[in-house]
Amino acid sequence: MNFQPLDQETIEEIKRRLVKTYHPQEIYLLEPQREDSIDVNILVVVDGQDIEHYDLMTAGHKALIGVKIAKNILVYTKEEFAAYCQDPSTLSYSIKRYGKCIYARA
């Protein structure tokens, strides 16, 4: 199965729904980099110090019901993301380096 790049309308819908759900600082999107992969990786940077990652990731999946894409959603605080994106062994590093920021709070 080959992945088709997301169109701008789909990206805007993802952004709209996730902003409504999280009121985030940033949202990053990394589309598949290999032919055998179909999952879109979405990373959301939120305010807060002590967050329940599982609950927040579940909220993101619920927010994107009906958007027909295979997805992985990561939710981190600004501090967590700053640390993780420095480590080349993490998905956060790949998302920061190769993905695109589709939303940044002014």
Side-chain angles (χ1 to χ4, degrees):
M1 173 181 251
N2 288 339
F3 175 80
Q4 298 297 316
L6 298 177
D7 59 48
Q8 192 59 39
E9 183 178 330
T10 302
I11 292 171
E12 289 299 318
E13 183 65 14
I14 291 168
K15 178 173 70 173
R16 184 188 68 73
R17 291 181 186 201
L18 293 178
V19 167
K20 182 178 179 183
T21 299
Y22 294 112
H23 309 288
Q25 291 185 1
E26 299 173 310
I27 301 172
Y28 291 87
L29 184 75
L30 178 65
E31 295 188 52
Q33 303 296 303
R34 301 184 333 248
E35 288 294 319
D36 63 341
S37 179
I38 61 169
D39 288 354
V40 173
N41 293 296
I42 301 167
L43 190 142
V44 182
V45 181
V46 297
D47 296 316
Q49 298 298 321
D50 190 25
I51 62 172
E52 282 294 328
H53 291 92
Y54 178 80
D55 292 340
L56 288 173
M57 289 186 287
T58 300
H61 281 278
K62 286 180 181 177
L64 296 180
I65 288 174
V67 177
K68 303 209 183 298
I69 59 168
K71 62 203 153 291
N72 295 315
I73 300 175
L74 301 172
V75 182
Y76 294 125
T77 64
K78 183 178 179 179
E79 295 77 19
E80 289 172 327
F81 183 53
Y84 297 151
C85 74
Q86 300 300 313
D87 181 350
S89 69
T90 66
L91 183 55
S92 296
Y93 177 88
S94 295
I95 291 172
K96 178 75 173 181
R97 183 161 182 176
Y98 303 111
K100 65 180 172 180
C101 182
I102 62 168
Y103 174 81
R105 188 182 330 156

